[in-house]
Amino acid sequence: MGAGKHTELVIHAQKEFVENNPITQIQTKYKEFENGFKGWLAKQSLPVEAAVVTITSAAQGAAMGGLMGTLTNDAASTFPATPPSGAGLNSQAMASFQQAQALAGGPFVQARNFAVMTGVNAGISCVMKRLRGKEDVQTSMVAAFGSGIMFSLVSGMGGPNQAANVLSSGVFFALVQGGLYKVGEKFSKPPVEDVLYSETKLMLTTLGLESYEKNFKKGLLTDRTLPLLNDSALQEVKIPPGPRLVILDHVQRNKDVKKSGRRA
């Protein structure tokens, strides 16, 4: 068997492996579904988008709360349903008792609390982003304020002055969320270089070719150049024949790559 034929068989085997890899297929399908869902959602009216985002986020929150409630169910059993008779609890002690009950509730209680908290937060964020055209710390804090208010109402936390407790809960949630947003913004902001190669990195990860990311950066093959890739350009940055064919095949068949190049 000649060297050329052997190389062709190796390239074909590599391509077959990438295309038939279950993990790669799942990642590709999930990405296609996610992009399709986001594209559909972006075309909807504000009420529809807000409703869908609120419901899906509430479902996720309910699942998380249910799991946490299951893990803390034993702790919930240590709190009586009503305060001990004759204990003479003052307003502060009563508030603490109610908070303990709310935070140590069983699966259904926690599922309800987290569903309301995450659903309201996501819904308000969605409306704010659509109206203001951006997502920033103000949007995050307003959404957290609303979710804090609703969490306080449904969980039953607080003392005799319900209105003051609701407002203080909203302010507390907003301050915490705002602080976390600023910290995250400071430490997780990607370098400019990574932003230029975000789609490239996603493509290489999907194809199982992450090791060639440095080749793209060395040749300044940014996301903007993805639709323009050809064999000569990939050969210039020293990418072997097999991966070159897989990359070019992916670019030709993937419409999202072409769209990302036009956006850039």
Side-chain angles (χ1 to χ4, degrees):
M1 181 184 296
K5 186 65 174 178
H6 176 72
T7 301
E8 184 179 343
L9 290 175
V10 171
I11 292 173
H12 180 73
Q14 288 178 329
K15 183 177 178 180
E16 286 291 324
F17 173 77
V18 171
E19 292 181 347
N20 297 323
N21 187 342
I23 296 178
T24 301
Q25 292 178 349
I26 292 174
Q27 290 175 334
T28 302
K29 291 296 183 182
Y30 177 78
K31 186 63 179 178
E32 291 176 353
F33 171 79
E34 184 180 33
N35 289 337
F37 179 75
K38 288 180 178 179
W40 173 82
L41 198 58
K43 298 176 182 177
Q44 306 307 309
S45 63
L46 177 57
V48 172
E49 182 183 9
V52 172
V53 169
T54 300
I55 292 171
T56 54
S57 298
Q60 295 174 354
M64 181 174 64
L67 176 61
M68 292 184 62
T70 300
L71 298 176
T72 60
N73 199 31
D74 291 339
S77 63
T78 63
F79 294 99
T82 57
S85 59
L89 298 179
N90 57 30
S91 60
Q92 185 176 0
M94 177 62 75
S96 299
F97 176 81
Q98 292 175 332
Q99 291 172 357
Q101 281 189 316
L103 296 175
F108 291 107
V109 172
Q110 295 290 34
R112 178 202 63 193
N113 293 350
F114 275 79
V116 171
M117 181 173 63
T118 57
V120 171
N121 191 303
I124 295 177
S125 293
C126 175
V127 173
M128 291 285 291
K129 284 187 287 186
R130 178 74 78 92
L131 295 178
R132 302 179 70 234
K134 61 180 179 179
E135 182 178 8
D136 53 16
V137 66
Q138 285 85 358
T139 295
S140 180
M141 291 183 70
V142 170
F145 179 79
S147 65
I149 287 177
M150 292 306 300
F151 179 81
S152 177
L153 289 174
V154 300
S155 65
M157 294 172 59
N161 192 338
Q162 185 69 19
N165 179 72
V166 166
L167 290 176
S168 63
S169 296
V171 171
F172 175 75
F173 272 58
L175 292 176
V176 171
Q177 183 79 358
L180 292 175
Y181 186 94
K182 298 301 289 186
V183 171
E185 189 178 54
K186 181 178 180 180
F187 289 100
S188 65
K189 190 174 183 178
V192 175
E193 183 182 76
D194 289 346
V195 173
L196 296 176
Y197 295 92
S198 60
E199 294 292 334
T200 300
K201 184 175 182 179
L202 175 62
M203 177 190 70
L204 294 175
T205 301
T206 301
L207 298 175
L209 301 174
E210 302 96 323
S211 60
Y212 295 108
E213 182 181 352
K214 60 182 183 297
N215 300 68
F216 274 77
K217 291 181 177 180
K218 185 176 180 180
L220 301 180
L221 298 177
T222 63
D223 293 345
R224 188 174 183 180
T225 68
L226 286 181
L228 308 174
L229 287 180
N230 55 40
D231 188 75
S232 177
L234 295 176
Q235 188 174 0
E236 187 72 20
V237 295
K238 304 186 185 309
I239 296 179
R244 289 206 306 268
L245 288 176
V246 173
I247 292 170
L248 291 174
D249 179 67
H250 176 82
V251 170
Q252 289 298 320
R253 295 192 303 167
N254 196 321
K255 295 180 180 179
D256 289 336
V257 171
K258 298 176 182 179
K259 290 179 181 179
S260 68
R262 288 198 293 269
R263 287 197 301 268

